[in-house]
Amino acid sequence: IVVGGGMLCTLVTYGMYKFGGFHKSIMIYFGVLHCLGSCMLLWPLVKRLPTWVLAVLAVALVALGLHIDTIPVENPWLTVLGFPCPGMGASDHFPLLPYFGYFLAGAAIGRWVYRKRESLLPSWEGHGLLRPFCFCGRHSLWIYLAHQPVAAGICYLLMLF
């Protein structure tokens, strides 16, 4: 679902570029939803690793990602991994390296913090003023997707003046 949301963003931004007269840099090739969805799909490959191995792998992937960000390549498909492609701009770009490393760091920290497998936060579900926030938390992907065209529309209207 998350990757599908990312693909929807790609499709919409492609349409904005192709038919709306926007600059090519408006396009989303591999944005935050693509990256997060890909990390979720890669997680089953590494989730059985010990926590310390996840932590070491996380640091290695972040370091590798920060290094390859300095090595320009001509193949735009390699931007998914983190290699920069000269002349290719994107409005939302989150390559797998270093971001899969950050994802794994979060998983390792989560295992450590929640090693007893019980929440450290109180349940606020039934408290009146917090209900809208609980709703937003449960529906964050749909809210994120809905805010994109609203924000783009506002920016477009501001450009007209």
Side-chain angles (χ1 to χ4, degrees):
I1 292 172
V2 175
V3 173
M7 295 307 293
L8 178 64
C9 291
T10 297
L11 183 65
V12 169
T13 57
Y14 176 76
M16 291 171 67
Y17 161 66
K18 199 69 171 172
F19 307 113
F22 288 87
H23 188 267
K24 191 175 184 176
S25 65
I26 192 75
M27 290 195 47
I28 296 173
Y29 298 102
F30 197 81
V32 66
L33 294 179
H34 298 88
C35 182
L36 182 58
S38 296
C39 290
M40 294 163 120
L41 291 171
L42 291 170
W43 173 243
L45 300 175
V46 295
K47 73 179 182 180
R48 297 198 188 277
L49 294 175
T51 303
W52 71 270
V53 174
L54 276 182
V56 169
L57 184 59
V59 170
L61 291 177
V62 168
L64 179 61
L66 295 175
H67 172 69
I68 66 173
D69 185 42
T70 64
I71 306 170
V73 296
E74 295 298 321
N75 186 340
W77 289 100
L78 292 177
T79 60
V80 169
L81 293 177
F83 291 96
C85 184
M88 183 178 166
S91 61
D92 183 26
H93 184 65
F94 287 82
L96 285 174
L97 300 173
Y99 290 98
F100 186 50
Y102 296 135
F103 182 91
L104 294 180
I109 291 168
R111 280 187 183 174
W112 179 70
V113 170
Y114 290 101
R115 61 186 167 271
K116 293 182 182 176
R117 296 185 182 259
E118 58 187 50
S119 178
L120 301 177
L121 301 173
S123 175
W124 295 344
E125 187 68 33
H127 294 69
L129 291 177
L130 298 175
R131 280 192 192 137
F133 295 105
C134 294
F135 175 84
C136 291
R138 283 191 307 274
H139 298 90
S140 59
L141 175 62
W142 307 113
I143 293 169
Y144 178 81
L145 288 172
H147 102 279
Q148 294 287 345
V150 171
I154 291 169
C155 290
Y156 182 73
L157 289 175
L158 289 173
M159 287 182 354
L160 295 176
F161 295 106

